[in-house]
Amino acid sequence: MDKIRIRGGHALKGIIPISGAKNAALPLMSAALLTEGELKLSNIPYLADVITMANLLVQHGTTLHMDEKSASATGFGRTIGLKAANITNFTAPYDLVRTMRASVLVLGPLLARFGQAKVSLPGGCAIGTRPIDLHLKALEQMGALIELADGYINAFVKGKLKGADITFDTVTVTGTENVMMAATLAEGETTLRNAAREPEVTDLANCLVKMGANIQGIGSGTLIIQGTKALHGAEHSVIADRIEAGTYAAAAAITGGDVELQGVSMQILGAVAEKFAEAGIDIKPTAKGVRVTRNNGLNGVDVMTQPYPGFPTDMQAQMMALMTVAKGASMITETIFENRFMHVPELTRMGAKINVHGSSAMIRGAKQLTGAEVMATDLRASVSLVIAALAAKGDTIINRVYHLDRGYERLEEKLSACGAEIERIKS
Ligand code: UD1
């Protein structure tokens, strides 16, 4: 397994192009199953999770065409064409779902268009139990018959799904996406209340509208979808990855650097930009994106993760890495996932002072982190170690790099272009 070695202590300076959002690309790709027409998606990030989704769609019978010459001016982002005119297999197998929970996003589209889907139950993951009961309950309200057997969800519907008035008990991102996609091909009107408002959900809704769907309330907590008989092909560009941008903003800030993140806006960074400013980081819009600088010390700030527009759970670990060297104390409370402090023991090995009490972590700023050999069990926890390592004294070796490859496109290249001493050690 590959490792990453980082020698800390270099202030990051330069430009980082931000890739297309992983969490937008995955549902957008699964939306191809809703039509026999071609869905052409540009600004697709080249990531392990995107490849897993491509493999999943192809094994269902989707044809995939990648335009090799399609890299944007920055060298990142590809255009792919997906055509689900000949779907022959309605099963999402364990081997693929196991490696990526977002595989469950094929359930809604397959069921809505073909009246059947068999999807492996995702099971637990490193950050918690993460059930999908709300996806299933909503689809049942729309008339689906759902059985769980042998580790699989077997879903059927006689004829078409029927529009329904659905209230999600908890805000769920992929749940909203799955059911919204299903509703575009249902008979009649579906109302989704307490729907997720994440920009990635909005990006999917905008693409579905281009495909012929009728969706009102996009960007709000109530989505009203009028089902149509069929959708058609469309072209869509994936929005920028606000989590990737926030991650590099944290990396720039912890090193006292000066970095322009191209392709993102202050607006899409939202609560993350606000918290960074509160911590003493200069974060300002530029013509091409956002500039992050830090000339003064970092201040400890309190953070609580919330559904959008609150502070994202996917930035919690990176924020904690930043707070390990801030002045004073900070309290980070995780409200979305129950087991999302896997980075704490590893950051502690690098000299961070962190105490966890239930769903909150109290961080007391240390003067200096020190390099160590570390590993993490999920994507964002891994990248928080990268951030810590950039500011640490000496060398850090990060094991299990495959986590990073799931969500960060050419991380070493982007960081070393800004002066980081970082290398991948091939196993
Ligand atoms: C998505 C993101 C993930 C992010 C998360 C929260 C993708 C591919 N992944 O994951 O990066 O961390 O949103 O912003 O977009 N829940 C239930 N029952 C359900 C569904 C969810 O109880 O049926 C709970 C979960 O356990 C969790 C909370 O709801 O506590 C939010 O989860 P959800 O928004 O569904 O996360 P994902 O869509 O899996």
Side-chain angles (χ1 to χ4, degrees):
M1 269 185 263
D2 292 1
K3 298 173 179 188
I4 279 187
R5 188 206 325 260
I6 294 173
R7 178 158 296 170
H10 302 281
L12 296 186
K13 291 207 164 98
I15 292 171
I16 300 183
I18 299 303
S19 296
K22 168 179 87 73
N23 285 355
L26 299 175
L28 284 165
M29 289 170 75
S30 69
L33 292 171
L34 289 164
T35 174
E36 56 180 34
E38 190 186 40
L39 182 60
K40 215 170 173 185
L41 298 170
S42 54
N43 201 30
I44 289 278
Y46 195 71
L47 298 169
D49 274 9
V50 166
I51 294 166
T52 303
M53 181 57 88
N55 287 335
L56 179 62
L57 296 174
V58 166
Q59 66 89 45
H60 286 309
T62 310
T63 55
L64 181 142
H65 169 77
M66 164 132 58
D67 184 348
E68 292 296 341
K69 295 194 199 94
S70 64
S72 64
T74 61
F76 295 91
R78 291 282 187 280
T79 298
I80 58 171
L82 293 161
K83 199 162 160 52
N86 218 345
I87 295 301
T88 46
N89 171 18
F90 304 99
T91 303
Y94 176 67
D95 275 353
L96 289 171
V97 181
R98 182 174 57 93
T99 54
M100 186 184 70
R101 294 179 51 85
S103 306
V104 76
L105 283 163
V106 301
L107 175 62
L110 284 176
L111 184 62
R113 183 158 156 230
F114 303 102
Q116 57 173 308
K118 182 175 175 184
V119 176
S120 172
L121 270 167
C125 74
I127 62 174
T129 50
R130 294 181 82 171
I132 55 156
D133 56 314
L134 301 176
H135 304 226
L136 305 185
K137 198 172 135 196
L139 293 171
E140 279 177 336
Q141 276 181 265
M142 297 174 76
L145 297 170
I146 294 177
E147 287 166 9
L148 304 182
D150 310 323
Y152 277 82
I153 304 155
N154 291 303
F156 303 94
V157 63
K158 278 200 192 115
K160 286 276 171 191
L161 290 170
K162 307 267 182 304
D165 195 323
I166 294 159
T167 302
F168 289 107
D169 295 341
T170 306
V171 177
T172 161
V173 175
T174 50
T176 302
E177 292 166 344
N178 230 341
V179 183
M180 175 170 67
M181 286 191 280
T184 62
L185 291 181
E187 268 170 13
E189 181 176 288
T190 300
T191 303
L192 301 181
R193 302 178 199 276
N194 200 24
R197 290 179 283 162
E198 269 65 4
E200 295 75 21
V201 178
T202 297
D203 200 35
L204 173 64
N206 288 335
C207 176
L208 292 171
V209 169
K210 289 183 193 165
M211 294 167 74
N214 182 340
I215 308 173
Q216 303 296 319
I218 294 174
S220 81
T222 305
L223 297 168
I224 301 171
I225 304 126
Q226 306 290 343
T228 60
K229 282 220 161 62
L231 298 183
H232 49 74
E235 289 187 16
H236 186 78
S237 177
V238 180
I239 53 162
D241 196 318
R242 64 196 166 99
I243 305 300
E244 189 200 24
T247 301
Y248 289 126
I254 203 169
T255 62
D258 182 350
V259 168
E260 185 181 35
L261 305 168
Q262 289 189 345
V264 277
S265 62
M266 290 291 281
Q267 193 207 347
I268 201 172
L269 285 175
V272 172
E274 283 168 30
K275 277 292 164 194
F276 279 16
E278 211 182 308
I281 299 159
D282 283 322
I283 178 157
K284 291 198 177 70
T286 62
K288 290 189 173 172
V290 166
R291 183 175 170 196
V292 183
T293 47
R294 181 172 67 81
N295 301 312
N296 303 312
L298 278 169
N299 305 319
V301 291
D302 294 344
V303 173
M304 184 182 280
T305 62
Q306 295 282 339
Y308 191 84
F311 191 93
T313 175
D314 285 351
M315 274 298 298
Q316 181 257 106
Q318 301 89 313
M319 189 70 191
M320 192 180 297
L322 199 53
M323 291 295 99
T324 60
V325 291
K327 201 166 85 198
S330 47
M331 171 90 92
I332 296 188
T333 305
E334 173 60 56
T335 72
I336 310 288
F337 294 113
E338 71 268 28
N339 190 24
R340 210 172 192 180
F341 285 141
M342 305 297 276
H343 39 288
V344 169
E346 303 301 305
L347 288 171
T348 304
R349 299 188 64 245
M350 298 177 73
K353 296 178 201 158
I354 309 171
N355 287 312
V356 174
H357 305 279
S359 60
S360 292
M362 166 74 86
I363 304 115
R364 289 188 180 81
K367 278 222 165 58
Q368 173 77 63
L369 298 177
T370 47
E373 185 151 357
V374 289
M375 70 167 153
T377 42
D378 78 79
L379 166 61
R380 308 302 170 185
S382 300
V383 88
S384 76
L385 302 176
V386 171
I387 292 169
L390 290 168
K393 190 162 177 250
D395 284 8
T396 297
I397 306 275
I398 299 166
N399 292 291
R400 299 196 185 170
V401 168
Y402 59 87
H403 288 300
L404 293 170
D405 294 335
R406 289 188 52 202
Y408 290 91
E409 188 175 14
R410 284 142 68 186
L411 172 110
E412 310 95 275
E413 198 180 313
K414 291 190 184 188
L415 285 173
S416 56
C418 292
E421 223 179 307
I422 176 169
E423 61 168 339
R424 182 179 288 246
I425 307 165
K426 293 263 176 205
S427 60

